[in-house]
Amino acid sequence: MTYTVLRGEFVVRYADLPRQGPEPDGDTVKFRPDSPGLVERLARPSGTPPDLTARGVSVRLEAIDALETHFAETHQELAGANAARDELLRLLGFTGLQFFDDLPNKVRAADRDAVRGHVLSNGVDANGRLIGFVFPGEPDGPDGGTVFLDDALADRSLNARLLAAGLVYPAFYSTLPASLRTHLAGVSRKARADAAGIWPRSTADPDGPAVVTGAAALRSLVCWPKLFRRLVPYLATGAANLDGFDAWLRSDPVNRDDAVFLLDRLETGNLHDVVVARGTTVQLTAWPEDFVIMPDPPTASTRPSAPAAGDVVIVAALPDPAGPDPGRERLTLLNATAAAVDLAGWTLRDRSGGSRALDGTLAAGDVVQVAAGSLRLGNAGGTLTLVDALGAPIDQVAYTAGQVKQGRTVLFGH
């Protein structure tokens, strides 16, 4: 998938207003683009415009979620949260950082308040932040140019380096191309297997539940941050235990019970489908890299009329069906948005130039299987691209010969 190159500088301190400056953490940092107009033209999967001012815009590092240094007047384990933040800032090139004693998330002093760098972005999230892969220094291409983000380039990003060091959890939204999901899932699994970073202290996951006796217990908890961000407001209601957590999630499918796509089952679901909570214990039943999180549904007044990259994704392919292949090869598409998508004029393309026209309407959150038709789903591997009616690439996936087994479906992102 192509990403837009944004040149600029990362900022950790406002010299004129240091006590009102940015609050960087392990997955978010302030960025001042050289060309703000480029940010305005990015896709808006949730319909929210960028929260862009003269001081810049926040960047949410795609594919990762760091322990919270600050959230709703509380935090997660600070050793892990601060380690991710400090490493991100070090890799960006910041040195001599000092934080206010009474405002521990704001920078009091630094050798430099800003450093040059660049972001590869494909959109804006529901909070008005850039979604992107972050790099120190200048890019090879021009400002506003497009690049294809492959595994090798992703590995050079600070997102992947933090993930490989085990300093952050994975968090894969549908804005992340399936091929990169697959690759970065492997990076995260290796960090976990190597017991790197936070992983030896991780809890509330498939390896075992966490005990949560109240809000104070959360401050020392090392768990998937999105789960933490749901537990905090739930306990703020005065709940005595977690018995009501499931119902509390389900009562708000937009702001609490995030829509997800379960990669092992090729089914849509919600956050409650991967969380078990009862009494004083809570845990994820699936590792975070094994499901895809959907963006918040867009508002009608701000949703771009043109489809954005990641609105519809290729989630699976059957390149080698049992028995004769012709006419039985299939692909599976998912509409990751909260609105129906008209597929008239859309095409699926293979790397040899073959194409398969699409039509009809794919309802919000729905999955459809389509016959490959004239596409070549080679057993030796292949690349498939989904293109909209205007010729814009919406998703791209690739598979290797090693993934192909007769009668077995290849899952992208698992």
Side-chain angles (χ1 to χ4, degrees), residues 136-148:
E138 301 296 344
D140 295 332
D143 201 15
T146 58
V147 297
F148 182 80

Side-chain angles (χ1 to χ4, degrees), residues 243-266:
D243 287 341
F245 186 57
D246 182 82
W248 181 85
L249 284 176
R250 293 172 188 250
S251 68
D252 187 346
V254 174
N255 300 302
R256 300 174 188 169
D257 202 16
D258 301 68
V260 299
F261 184 74
L262 308 171
L263 292 166
D264 60 339
R265 288 180 265 170
L266 291 181

Side-chain angles (χ1 to χ4, degrees), residues 42-50 60 122-129 131 173-175 226 254-255 258-259 293-311 336-339:
L42 292 170
R44 304 172 184 182
S46 294
T48 305
R60 173 177 68 77
N122 67 351
V124 178
D125 75 4
N127 295 309
R129 301 173 298 182
I131 308 165
Y173 286 79
S174 62
T175 50
K226 182 175 278 289
V254 174
N255 300 302
D258 301 68
I293 310 162
M294 306 303 172
D296 289 348
T299 58
S301 60
T302 57
R303 178 175 170 81
S305 57
D311 278 4
T337 75

Side-chain angles (χ1 to χ4, degrees), residues 37 45 64 81 100 111 125 144 149 163 170 228 231 247 250 320 396 403:
I64 67 173
F100 287 101
D111 292 338
D125 75 4
L149 185 59
L163 197 63
F228 167 83
L231 289 167
R250 293 172 188 250
D320 188 16
Q396 185 176 75
Q403 294 175 274

